[in-house]
Amino acid sequence: MAREGRGGREGRGGHGLARVAVVVRAGAAPLGWLGVIAAGTGAVPSGLTGRTPGIMAGVVLFAGAAALVALTRRKRYVVLARGAVRAGRHDVLQDRRVSVRTWRRGHRWWLLLAFAAALGSAFAVPVAGGLLLAGAGLGLRLKAAWIGRRERALDALLWVRVDWLDDRGGAPAGNAVKGLRATGVAAGDAAPGGARRRTPAAV
């Protein structure tokens, strides 16, 4: 197996592979930070409902979004993980930063629109829109952590072919994904769950 730092290039019959947990986790930070900023800014206007009802609605939306995002498609991930096959020696492992950058570039306009909508909603229901975004970000982080626990149980890291991801670099368990690849836990530059490794990985 080789590593590719700048993309999902194939080589000698292999495929570019991206870490499933990294792709899932890629949106957690931007959604979380945009949500916090929108919620803070949204606390300024009193809106149609007033701040207290808006905050209460936001807390409900935060919890609901986090749970929904974290639990969505878990059965699909389980099925794919069980059927994962060993990555080939010519498969190319995409660096974590490349997978994250690809997802964020592919979703940048969606993120900006979601942020604008959260800010605009503050004039009707203060804070709620921002907390909804933040909850979605937390849900992605929880889902990635759950995938990490499965990786530790399997003693293997889960990868998806880059050419099976959608046009925005996401959907690692989408309908186009026919199966996952597996490597040892020392492969790549991301730990189980998709976080950056604290210590260098074995080459």
Side-chain angles (χ1 to χ4, degrees), residues 29 42 91 114:
D91 286 332

Side-chain angles (χ1 to χ4, degrees), residues 6-184:
R6 292 183 295 176
R9 187 176 62 206
E10 298 181 10
R12 293 185 296 177
H15 296 93
L17 303 179
R19 278 287 303 287
V20 173
V22 169
V23 176
V24 169
R25 188 186 174 99
L31 281 170
W33 281 112
L34 290 175
V36 168
I37 294 171
T41 305
V44 176
S46 59
L48 298 178
T49 64
R51 291 187 185 88
T52 299
I55 292 171
M56 293 176 64
V59 170
V60 173
L61 289 173
F62 176 87
L68 180 63
V69 172
L71 297 174
T72 297
R73 308 212 77 181
R74 279 200 176 189
K75 290 183 179 179
R76 171 72 169 157
Y77 282 100
V78 170
V79 170
L80 289 172
R82 286 175 178 170
V85 298
R86 195 74 178 174
R89 62 181 300 179
H90 297 309
D91 286 332
V92 180
L93 307 183
Q94 190 176 79
D95 285 355
R96 178 184 182 276
R97 68 180 183 278
V98 176
S99 300
V100 170
R101 184 171 65 244
T102 300
W103 190 98
R104 292 179 181 175
R105 283 180 177 174
H107 291 80
R108 63 187 181 279
W109 294 115
W110 184 91
L111 290 169
L112 287 174
L113 287 173
F115 179 64
L119 286 177
S121 69
F123 292 97
V125 187
V127 181
L131 289 181
L132 175 63
L133 280 187
L138 175 60
L140 290 177
R141 193 174 296 275
L142 293 173
K143 179 179 286 186
W146 172 77
I147 293 172
R149 290 193 293 274
R150 294 203 63 84
E151 288 179 322
R152 291 186 180 91
L154 293 169
D155 195 29
L157 301 181
L158 299 174
W159 303 76
V160 60
R161 278 175 50 171
V162 172
D163 58 330
W164 286 347
L165 296 175
D166 65 19
D167 293 338
R168 297 184 299 274
N175 294 332
V177 178
K178 301 175 179 64
L180 300 180
R181 305 285 175 92
T183 65

